Structures are given as structure tokens and as C-alpha cells.
């Protein structure tokens, strides 16, 4: 049996009501007649309760419909209230019977303040027989103990053993302000299933306990009060501390190193609590310099808040001075549906990489980023992403719906937001409503619920997306069939950005079917069916209601816009009489293609471009060249797509350099003679060709390429001889350290002597935050060579290049 977990309470939280929509579906069943062991067990319990016993008259001996058709939280499904004063312990004995269909079709117990429907009523907690519950702010499911006869739970067997089980339930209301629930469900064969739970309740007023039937019923045998067995609540020392949601990086100058960090302290009894920063001892880091920083945190109190031995934890983060940030991995979906309000940007799968002023990079934690909203404007748009003033964008495709239900900030309460008008469903016909769901993913029912009702709003049923419902045509309907293929461990977390189509069919025989077809954002599909809901086929219409979610109504299914493949092209422009275009990986633009014909540019490490050596260099003649490269893209779910790229060479529109750069007598010193600047737009390359005159006295007496912004800020300067420097680094090794790639096929013994008379074509490519510079050189004797620089981080919205030369001259084609 597990070690008992007890909770300590230093303060009491205000209770909050949990409505009937808070039930989660699970699975479980029931057993037979009782053995002598049960009688012995009862006798043993009663033997210690001879004095101070207050008998309670049973006024509701049968709880729930005896054919086990009782619906959840419905009339006839509640026991009487059993008031438990502070300092008293309630003992309640009853026989449990269930339908055997689900785990929760057995006993359920609620401990509450007041009575249902009365002013001030609220629930402290609700516990089911199958190790599940919910409650107010003090509820902690981790404290539930469940002992299945000392072994692993067999849920099929559980449902059998619970049938006819004799249940002894105790609730000890300790004067210190806590309720301790202990339940023994003893099967006919003597098998004892034990469940325990405890949490804070008021120390000075009664609490009410009542049983709730759900596809189950109970025969209540006896109830009585005895004195509390708990004199005081034990205290426990802290044993460990964990830190979550810690920042990965903050900008230089930002003093908030804590951010959204959550400190959780674990105590010896197995319980835990979140501790506010002001209750922690924190050794603060030096934030005045860039680099890796460490924050050390300690806590030195017991569970009841008394001084105790400290526990400590730490986390590290980077203080950075990012020059740029860029999206290096698209989110799992980039197609949005909106109506008349902006919707939240969905970040699952998104990767944003920052480039520091020294050229090094790091992946940012999405929690450290600020995201813009997706605007309700049809077409492609850019969503702004910001890290401490440094910005980038992520492309998304937006399509408009015909209506919306709920609130984009998920503040809509239950039964407040509905489909604009009910949709009639004539006998023998079906109606389908296509939706796109945004949800806070905090509960199963934060998704569209379907209402079946008549024209006078008389309800037949309300059904949720998660295999649960209620209503006159639902409760007690023996012919009703529920089918689904959910994994309920993942259900709630996958609701957001789901495409949901709801079809209601009027069978014409006073029954109706509801079918949910659901496609998660990751492409996984599921179905939920309710078959045979009792209705009036002559008077049937459907509506939709939602809670803490935002549902956009569409004229066709959103699943039509899922990713179907990729396409790739390199757009190259030749300036003046440029002779040879070099194809680089950075020049290949890859787009994700969707089934509705839309497409969005891809970038980042999940795009792999392979170019054969014989497809690197092309004559500068305009035209389309097929199969110049192969491309692979792996989406966030791991699915791989491939495509072949084409090269589209076009005549450029930018003016060529007409004047010679440099001096015919080679007298021009370094950084004195420059060409004009040419712009390279995102997703294209530009090529310039020239004939070089040189004194052949130095490798660098040849054309050097300057890559920079429009304001003159340099990304880097590279020479024709496998050497260069990045702005503020000024070392050859620095390029490799920055992640740049350098490649060439020079014969250094003959390089310098062959510069004069060479024809040099330089291609600069710019694509989604990365650039490349490629030299293709033809010596006067016809020998050819190449020099390439790649993986250069840039701001793709601002890329220019120019040439400078020393003791040489350049005549442009």
C-alpha cells in the first residue's frame, strides 16, 4: 500500500463552484454478495465507536434509479446531505451498484458548502470511485491515494468487483481545518479497494457530504458521527524544489531574470505547493554583461510555513545582445480561420533563432517572445514576433469564416455564446456545420457542444465532443450508442486549432444521430458519435454552444487546407551582361503547398537542399532550368516531403556598373575604390560579371565583395581567395566561428599569377534570413574555379552588395 499522503494547510482558499460541465469521462464497473469478511470488517469498525456516537436518520435509502439509468447531477441521483461539524467524523455505509459500462458508473461523493441551488453554495471537492476528482483552488489530485488490493489496477475487474460492493466511507473534519476522506469498497469476495483524499476546508463551520449517482445507484444502510480522530495536522519538511518556465534568454539591459518562472516545493508527505518569489531566497545574477548566468533559489520553511531546513534549485539562462532574430522552424500549422476579431497566434512547433552581434546563434524559448495577433484579413500576412525590441515575422494564411461563437480570449462562460440561428434538420435529412476551434486547452469541454432541440427551445439533448452528454432524449435512453476513438490523456491538449465538422442526422423515426469529425492541428483525425438520441423528428433543430473557446463557422471543412507537399524554385537575376549564374542552397526558395492551392514560404533547419556539382553553374541566359536541386522538408510531426527545384534565370532591372572600379596602373590602395550597390530581395539572387585587371602581386589584388545593409552596416567582407571578415570580428577564422561555410577549389601555387585577365561572375543570394556569396572564375587560359561563402545570417528585408578592390581594376559586363 502506498505511503499515506497528508496535506498541510497554512491558509484557506475561497471555494469555487464546479458545475456539471466539469465531469471528465473515463472507464470502469461492479460485483456480488458480501462475505463474512465484510461483516467482520463492519464489526471491527463499530467496536471502536461505542461512545460518542450520533446516529443519523436515513431519509433517502435508495439513491439513483435502480436500473442504473441515472444521469449525472440529475434529480433522483443525490443522497441526503450529511452535515459534518468541525471535530467530528462521519461514517457512511451503503451498497454500490453500477451499470458496468464505465469506471465512473459507481459511487461519487461531493463535499460542499451549503446546499445545491442555495446562495453561497460551492464545492470543496468531488471524488469518484475510480481515482479521479476535481474541486476548488485547494484541490490537489496528486494527493489521492488508491490501493487496489495492494496490486495494479485491472479496470475490467474493477467494474465487476464494484457491482454490489459494500462501501464504508468516512470523512474526518479536523478542527485544524482539513477534511480527510477514506473509502473502503469491499467486493463480495472480500477484495478491499481503498481510496483516500484530504484537503483544506473551513475550521469553524460544517461541511456537507452527499453521494451522486451516475449510471449507478446506492442502498444506504447507516450513517453516524463520532469524534474526530485527528487532533492536529502534522507538519512536514520541504525535501526538494523544482523550477519550471524558466527563461532561456533575456536581452542585455533587461532586469527581469525571473519572468514566468514557477517555483514548486515538494514536501516529505508527497504534496507540493507553488511558492511566490518573495518567499524565496534568491542569489541574483550579474545582468550587466552578456553570457551564461545562473540563478540560485532556496526555500527554508515547512509545509505549515515554519522555519525549516532549506531546499535549493537553480537555472541558467543567456544574457544576449541579439542583432537579429529569425523564424527557423514554422509552427505546426500556419493556416488560420477568422471572422471579425483577431485570433491568437499558435506557437506549437515554432522555432525562433537569435543571431548575436558576434554572429553566434541560439534558439529562443517561445515564452520569452512577444507575438502579434492574427488579423481577420483574408490572404497571406506576417505575424510580428519580438524579443526585447528585436523583431521578425512569421507568414500565415488567413481565411474568413461566416460567423463566430465565443471569445478569442476564451472568457466566454458556459451557456452564454451560441450559433447565431438554430439550423432546422428535417426528417430524413442531415445538416453539417464546419468549424475551426480555438481553445485554451484547459478542459475537455472547452470545445463545441451540440444542442438538439425543438422550435420552442425544448431540449432533447446537449452533447459534448468528449463522449458525454445529458438531456431528456439522452438520460436513461437504453438504445443510445456512444462511439469514439479518443485518447483522453491527450484530448484536452489538442483541441486548439482543430478542424471540427458536426453532422446531425434526423432519422425520421424520432431519433437523431450526432457525429463529430475532428482533425487536430497535427493532422491526427478522430470521430465522436452519438447514435439514437430521442427527438421529435417533426420538430428538430440544432445549435452549437461553447465555453472558454472560440469557434469560427466555415462554409466548408477546414481540413481542406492541410499541407499536401512542397515546391521549390530559385529565382536568379542577371545584371547587365552577367555571364555565369552560380546556384547555392540559400538561393532555393521552398514553399509549403496546401490542398486548397495556397502556399507559404518555408525556411530553417528542417529544409534540406542538395545541389549536384554539375548543376551549380549556368550561363546567364534567361530561361527555366528544371531539376537543378532536390529538396526535403520535415514538418513538425516528422512527416517528410520531397520536391525537385527549378532555376528561373531572368534579366535584371537594376542598372549595371558603367565606370571602371580601380586604377589601370594598379595604384589604388585598399578601401578607396568601390562599385555601386545592388539590392538582393528576399527569395532571389543577383549576379554581376566583370573582367579583372591585376598586378598579380597579392591574392587580394582581386574583387572583394561587401555584404551590407542600406545604411552601410556590414554583414561581412569576403575576398576571392577564401578569406574574409564579419563586421567587428576582422579575422579569417571568425567566419567559421560564426557558422559561415567557406569552400573553394583553388590551386594556391597558381592563384595569384592568374588573376589578371580573369572573368569573374559573383552571385549573391538572399533567402529567409540567410545569404550566400559565390564566385565563378574563368582564367584567361580557360581554366575555371569557384569560391563560395554560405550560411550568412542577414536581415532578408535589407541586403545589398558592392565591390571594392586594391591594386587592381574591375571592368563590368
Amino acid at each position: 500500500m502506498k505511503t499515506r499522503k497528508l496535506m498541510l494547510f497554512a491558509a484557506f482558499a475561497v471555494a469555487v463552484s464546479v458545475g456539471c460541465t466539469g465531469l471528465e469521462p473515463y472507464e470502469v464497473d461492479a460485483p456480488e454478495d458480501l462475505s463474512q469478511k465484510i461483516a467482520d470488517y463492519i464489526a471491527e469498525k463499530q467496536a471502536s465507536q461505542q461512545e460518542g456516537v450520533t446516529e443519523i436518520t436515513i431519509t433517502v435509502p435508495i439513491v439513483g434509479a435502480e436500473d442504473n439509468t441515472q444521469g449525472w447531477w440529475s434529480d433522483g441521483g443525490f443522497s441526503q446531505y450529511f452535515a459534518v461539524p468541525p471535530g467530528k467524523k462521519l461514517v457512511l455505509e451503503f451498497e454500490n451498484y453500477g451499470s458496468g459500462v464505465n469506471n465512473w458508473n459507481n459511487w461519487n461523493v461531493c463535499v460542499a458548502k451549503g446546499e445545491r441551488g442555495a446562495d453561497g453554495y460551492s464545492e470543496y471537492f468531488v471524488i469518484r470511485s475510480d481515482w479521479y476528482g476535481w474541486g476548488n483552488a485547494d484541490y490537489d489530485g496528486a494527493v489521492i491515494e488508491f490501493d487496489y488490493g495492494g496490486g495494479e489496477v485491472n479496470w475490467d475487474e474493477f467494474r465487476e468487483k464494484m457491482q454490489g460492493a459494500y462501501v464504508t466511507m468516512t470523512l474526518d473534519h479536523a478542527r485544524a481545518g482539513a477534511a480527510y476522506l477514506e473509502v473502503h469498497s469491499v467486493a463480495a469476495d472480500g477484495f478491499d479497494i481503498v481510496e483516500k483524499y484530504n484537503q483544506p476546508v473551513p475550521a469553524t463551520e460544517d461541511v456537507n457530504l452527499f453521494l451522486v449517482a451516475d449510471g449507478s445507484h446506492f442502498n444506504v444502510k447507516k450513517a453516524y458521527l463520532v469524534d474526530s480522530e485527528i487532533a492536529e495536522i502534522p507538519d512536514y519538511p520541504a525535501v526538494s524544489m523544482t523550477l519550471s518556465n524558466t527563461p532561456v534568454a533575456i536581452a542585455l539591459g533587461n532586469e527581469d531574470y525571473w519572468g514566468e518562472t514557477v517555483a514548486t516545493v515538494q514536501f516529505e508527505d508527497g504534496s507540493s505547493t507553488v511558492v511566490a518569489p518573495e518567499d524565496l531566497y534568491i542569489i541574483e545574477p550579474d545582468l550587466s554583461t552578456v553570457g551564461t548566468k545562473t540563478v540560485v533559489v532556496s526555500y527554508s520553511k515547512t509545509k505549515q510555513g515554519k522555519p525549516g531546513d532549506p531546499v535549493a534549485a537553480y537555472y541558467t539562462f543567456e544574457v544576449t545582445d541579439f542583432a537579429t532574430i529569425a523564424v527557423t522552424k514554422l509552427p505546426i500549422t500556419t493556416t488560420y480561420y477568422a471572422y471579425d476579431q483577431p485570433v491568437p497566434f499558435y506557437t506549437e512547433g515554432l522555432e525562433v533563432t537569435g543571431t548575436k552581434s558576434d554572429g553566434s546563434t541560439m534558439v529562443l524559448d517561445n515564452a520569452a517572445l512577444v507575438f502579434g495577433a492574427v488579423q481577420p484579413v483574408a490572404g497571406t500576412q506576417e505575424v510580428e514576433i519580438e524579443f526585447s525590441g528585436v523583431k521578425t515575422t512569421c507568414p500565415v494564411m488567413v481565411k474568413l469564416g461566416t460567423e463566430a461563437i465565443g471569445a478569442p480570449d476564451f472568457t466566454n462562460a458556459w451557456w452564454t455564446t451560441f450559433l447565431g440561428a438554430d439550423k432546422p434538420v428535417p426528417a430524413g435529412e442531415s445538416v453539417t456545420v464546419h468549424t475551426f476551434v480555438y481553445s485554451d486547452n484547459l478542459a475537455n469541454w472547452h470545445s463545441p457542444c451540440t444542442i438538439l432541440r425543438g422550435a420552442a427551445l425544448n431540449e432533447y439533448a446537449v452533447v459534448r465532443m468528449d463522449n458525454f452528454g445529458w438531456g431528456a432524449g439522452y438520460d436513461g435512453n437504453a438504445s443510445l450508442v456512444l462511439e469514439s476513438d479518443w485518447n483522453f490523456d491527450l484530448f484536452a491538449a489538442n483541441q486548439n486549432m482543430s478542424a471540427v465538422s458536426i453532422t446531425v442526422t434526423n432519422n425520421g423515426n424520432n431519433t437523431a444521430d450526432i457525429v463529430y469529425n475532428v482533425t487536430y492541428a497535427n493532422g491526427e483525425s478522430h470521430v465522436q458519435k452519438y447514435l439514437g438520441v430521442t427527438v421529435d423528428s417533426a420538430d428538430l433543430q440544432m445549435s452549437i454552444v461553447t465555453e472558454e473557446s472560440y469557434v469560427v463557422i466555415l462554409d466548408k471543412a477546414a481540413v481542406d487546407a492541410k499541407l499536401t507537399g512542397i515546391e521549390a524554385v530559385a529565382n536568379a537575376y542577371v545584371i547587365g551582361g552577367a555571364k555565369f549564374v552560380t546556384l547555392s542552397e540559400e538561393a532555393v526558395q521552398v514553399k509549403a503547398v496546401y490542398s486548397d492551392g495556397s502556399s507559404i514560404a518555408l525556411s530553417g533547419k528542417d529544409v534540406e537542399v542538395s545541389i549536384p556539382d554539375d548543376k551549380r553553374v549556368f550561363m546567364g541566359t534567361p530561361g527555366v532550368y528544371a531539376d537543378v536541386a532536390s529538396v526535403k522538408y520535415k514538418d513538425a510531426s516528422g512527416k517528410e516531403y520531397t520536391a525537385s527545384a527549378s532555376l528561373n534565370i531572368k534579366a535584371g532591372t537594376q542598372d549595371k556598373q558603367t565606370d571602371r572600379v580601380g586604377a589601370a596602373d594598379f595604384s589604388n590602395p585598399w578601401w578607396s575604390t568601390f562599385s555601386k550597390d545592388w539590392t538582393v530581395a528576399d527569395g532571389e539572387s543577383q549576379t554581376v560579371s566583370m573582367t579583372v585587371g591585376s598586378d598579380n602581386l597579392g591574392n587580394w589584388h582581386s574583387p572583394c565583395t561587401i555584404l551590407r545593409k542600406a545604411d552601410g552596416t556590414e554583414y561581412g567582407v569576403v575576398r576571392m581567395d577564401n578569406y574574409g571578415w564579419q563586421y567587428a570580428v576582422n579575422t579569417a577564422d571568425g567566419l567559421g566561428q560564426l557558422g559561415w561555410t567557406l569552400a573553394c577549389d583553388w590551386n594556391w601555387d597558381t592563384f595569384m599569377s592568374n588573376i589578371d585577365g580573369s572573368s569573374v561572375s559573383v552571385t549573391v543570394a538572399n533567402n529567409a534570413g540567410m545569404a550566400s556569396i559565390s564566385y565563378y572564375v574563368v582564367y584567361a587560359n580557360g581554366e575555371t574555379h569557384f569560391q563560395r561563402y554560405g550560411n550568412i545570417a542577414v536581415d532578408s528585408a535589407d541586403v545589398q552588395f558592392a565591390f571594392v578592390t586594391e591594386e587592381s581594376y574591375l571592368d563590368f559586363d
Side-chain angles (χ1 to χ4, degrees):
M1 191 167 179
K2 292 164 62 178
T3 302
R4 181 180 177 111
K5 299 176 182 176
L6 299 176
M7 295 177 63
L8 303 176
F9 315 105
F12 304 115
V14 177
V16 295
S17 177
V18 177
C20 64
T21 59
L23 181 65
E24 291 261 345
Y26 265 59
E27 293 187 4
V28 188
D29 217 0
E32 308 287 319
D33 285 337
L34 303 175
S35 65
Q36 182 61 39
K37 181 174 180 180
I38 302 172
D40 294 342
Y41 175 81
I42 297 169
E44 180 184 345
K45 284 290 183 182
Q46 292 175 337
S48 62
Q49 299 168 348
Q50 298 303 311
E51 297 182 3
V53 176
T54 303
E55 296 287 345
I56 299 174
T57 301
I58 304 302
T59 59
V60 184
I62 305 297
V63 180
E66 292 185 79
D67 61 357
N68 295 322
T69 59
Q70 189 70 48
W72 170 254
W73 211 264
S74 58
D75 290 343
F78 302 106
S79 73
Q80 69 195 74
Y81 294 101
F82 298 96
V84 188
K88 292 294 182 180
K89 175 180 178 179
L90 171 71
V91 181
L92 176 64
E93 299 175 12
F94 59 92
E95 294 172 351
N96 176 88
Y97 297 93
S99 66
V101 175
N102 301 296
N103 296 357
W104 59 89
N105 296 144
N106 291 292
W107 62 260
N108 302 273
V109 61
C110 179
V111 177
K113 174 183 179 180
E115 299 185 358
R116 297 180 305 278
D119 290 343
Y121 169 80
S122 62
E123 291 149 18
Y124 299 118
F125 58 85
V126 178
I127 297 294
R128 298 193 322 210
S129 62
D130 61 340
W131 198 6
Y132 185 78
W134 58 91
N136 64 12
D138 289 321
Y139 172 77
D140 183 358
V143 180
I144 296 177
E145 291 183 59
F146 193 78
D147 179 29
Y148 190 71
E152 293 297 319
V153 180
N154 179 325
W155 290 116
D156 291 334
E157 182 184 64
F158 171 87
R159 291 193 290 271
E160 294 175 2
K161 289 190 178 298
M162 288 298 291
Q163 184 68 20
Y166 197 92
V167 180
T168 301
M169 178 180 292
T170 63
L171 185 76
D172 196 326
H173 186 179
R175 290 188 182 279
Y180 292 84
L181 179 74
E182 182 171 336
V183 188
H184 290 258
S185 300
V186 183
D189 61 1
F191 191 86
D192 190 6
I193 302 171
V194 184
E195 189 165 355
K196 299 178 183 180
Y197 177 70
N198 66 94
Q199 82 166 51
V201 295
T204 57
E205 60 184 54
D206 293 2
V207 298
N208 275 343
L209 177 149
F210 58 91
L211 301 176
V212 188
D214 180 16
S216 56
H217 78 281
F218 325 121
N219 294 340
V220 182
K221 297 300 184 180
K222 66 171 60 178
Y224 53 90
L225 293 172
V226 296
D227 290 338
S228 171
E229 297 177 358
I230 300 175
E232 63 180 50
I233 299 175
D235 199 2
Y236 296 94
V239 294
S240 62
M241 178 165 54
T242 57
L243 302 173
S244 57
N245 297 334
T246 57
V248 172
I250 67 171
L252 184 65
N254 182 359
E255 298 295 322
D256 182 14
Y257 59 83
W258 189 256
E260 302 297 321
T261 299
V262 176
T264 303
V265 174
Q266 293 80 33
F267 298 97
E268 190 179 65
D269 67 336
S271 64
S272 61
T273 188
V274 173
V275 179
E278 54 267 27
D279 294 327
L280 299 167
Y281 178 73
I282 302 174
I283 301 177
E284 297 185 345
D286 173 19
L287 302 177
S288 64
T289 60
V290 299
T292 301
K293 309 295 180 179
T294 300
V295 178
V296 180
V297 180
S298 63
Y299 181 75
S300 56
K301 295 181 181 179
T302 66
K303 190 170 183 179
Q304 291 186 359
K306 300 174 184 177
D309 293 335
V311 291
Y314 71 94
Y315 65 92
T316 60
F317 65 95
E318 289 278 329
V319 174
T320 66
D321 57 343
F322 289 131
T324 62
I325 61 174
V327 173
T328 47
K329 185 177 180 182
L330 286 174
I332 196 170
T333 181
T334 52
T335 300
Y336 286 76
Y337 294 84
Y339 179 56
D340 60 354
Q341 298 183 71
V343 294
F345 179 65
Y346 185 54
T347 63
E348 183 175 349
L350 175 72
E351 181 182 273
V352 177
T353 299
T355 301
K356 305 172 189 177
S357 60
D358 66 359
S360 60
T361 62
M362 71 174 294
V363 175
L364 291 166
D365 184 347
N366 288 342
L369 302 171
V370 177
F371 300 98
V374 178
Q375 300 301 316
V377 180
T380 300
Q381 62 179 259
E382 299 287 331
V383 176
E384 186 173 88
I385 303 172
E386 180 180 351
F387 178 83
S388 295
V390 184
K391 299 177 181 180
T392 189
T393 60
C394 181
V396 297
M397 173 65 69
V398 179
K399 301 182 179 185
L400 297 182
T402 60
E403 183 184 345
I405 310 169
D409 61 357
F410 311 135
T411 56
N412 51 304
W414 172 248
W415 213 254
T416 59
T417 52
F418 304 85
L419 193 65
D422 283 12
K423 294 185 178 294
V425 189
E429 297 185 17
S430 297
V431 169
T432 298
V433 178
H434 301 294
T435 73
F436 195 77
V437 178
Y438 299 92
S439 173
D440 60 11
N441 287 352
L442 296 180
N444 285 2
W445 52 93
H446 295 178
S447 50
C449 298
T450 305
I451 307 167
L452 297 187
R453 57 191 178 190
L457 304 185
N458 51 303
E459 289 174 16
Y460 305 121
V462 179
V463 297
R464 303 193 317 211
M465 202 168 77
D466 64 339
N467 207 55
F468 185 82
W470 60 90
Y474 186 101
D475 299 330
N477 184 345
S479 300
L480 180 65
V481 176
L482 279 66
E483 297 179 4
S484 66
D485 61 353
W486 301 115
N487 177 344
F488 281 109
D489 292 337
L490 305 175
F491 181 96
N494 280 285
Q495 293 175 112
N496 191 36
M497 299 289 282
S498 287
V500 180
S501 293
I502 305 170
T503 299
V504 175
T505 301
N506 185 339
N507 296 318
N509 60 354
N510 291 331
T511 68
D513 301 335
I514 305 105
V515 178
Y516 287 77
N517 284 295
V518 181
T519 303
Y520 291 159
N522 64 10
E524 186 178 317
S525 296
H526 290 278
V527 66
Q528 170 69 59
K529 297 180 181 180
Y530 300 89
L531 308 177
V533 179
T534 302
V535 299
D536 179 355
S537 285
D539 180 23
L540 177 62
Q541 53 192 29
M542 66 91 71
S543 185
I544 297 174
V545 61
T546 193
E547 174 183 7
E548 295 185 37
S549 52
Y550 185 62
V551 179
V552 178
I553 309 300
L554 312 175
D555 57 6
K556 65 178 183 178
V559 290
D560 288 344
K562 293 301 178 182
L563 179 65
T564 59
I566 61 173
E567 60 183 24
V569 66
N571 292 307
Y573 293 85
V574 291
I575 297 173
K579 295 177 179 177
F580 295 99
V581 173
T582 300
L583 179 63
S584 66
E585 286 79 2
E586 290 81 359
V588 179
Q589 186 177 32
V590 184
K591 291 184 178 180
V593 180
Y594 293 84
S595 56
D596 62 355
S598 61
S599 62
I600 293 180
L602 295 171
S603 63
K605 64 184 181 185
D606 291 326
V607 176
E608 179 183 326
V609 179
S610 299
I611 304 174
D613 289 341
D614 61 352
K615 297 293 180 70
R616 284 282 183 184
V617 180
F618 296 83
M619 294 290 292
T621 306
V624 178
Y625 303 83
D627 300 325
V628 298
S630 60
V631 180
K632 292 181 182 179
Y633 170 68
K634 184 178 291 186
D635 68 15
S637 69
K639 185 175 181 180
E640 190 171 84
Y641 299 85
T642 60
S644 63
S646 60
L647 172 63
N648 190 6
I649 298 178
K650 307 174 185 179
T653 59
Q654 299 185 74
D655 293 337
K656 71 174 185 177
Q657 175 77 30
T658 55
D659 298 333
R660 171 178 286 177
V661 174
D665 62 358
F666 312 132
S667 59
N668 49 305
W670 173 247
W671 212 254
S672 62
T673 52
F674 304 88
S675 72
K676 66 188 306 296
D677 285 278
W678 291 280
T679 299
V680 188
D682 190 9
E684 66 182 38
S685 69
Q686 299 282 347
T687 300
V688 175
S689 294
M690 66 204 78
T691 300
V692 181
S694 173
D695 61 9
N696 289 350
L697 296 180
N699 286 0
W700 52 95
H701 296 176
S702 54
C704 297
T705 305
I706 308 166
L707 194 66
R708 58 191 176 192
K709 296 183 177 183
D711 65 3
T713 302
E714 294 168 7
Y715 297 114
V717 179
V718 296
R719 301 192 321 209
M720 200 170 78
D721 63 339
N722 207 54
Y723 184 87
W725 53 94
Q726 190 256 3
Y727 178 64
V729 175
N730 198 33
T731 66
D733 291 340
L735 297 180
Q737 291 170 357
L738 297 172
W740 293 25
T741 57
L742 287 71
C744 65
D745 65 348
W746 300 117
N747 179 342
W748 296 113
D749 293 336
T750 59
F751 177 94
M752 192 164 58
S753 62
N754 281 286
I755 298 174
D756 189 48
S758 292
S759 175
V760 179
S761 297
V762 178
T763 301
V764 178
N766 171 24
N767 188 3
M770 289 293 171
S772 65
I773 303 168
S774 302
Y775 287 75
Y776 183 71
V777 180
V778 182
Y779 288 163
N781 63 10
E783 187 178 322
T784 62
H785 290 278
F786 73 87
Q787 170 69 57
R788 291 196 292 270
Y789 301 89
N791 205 43
I792 305 169
V794 296
D795 177 358
S796 283
D798 188 5
V799 175
Q800 294 187 352
F801 72 99
F803 295 97
V804 62
T805 192
E806 175 184 7
E807 297 185 32
S808 55
Y809 63 81
L810 313 176
D811 289 328
F812 290 83
D813 297 323

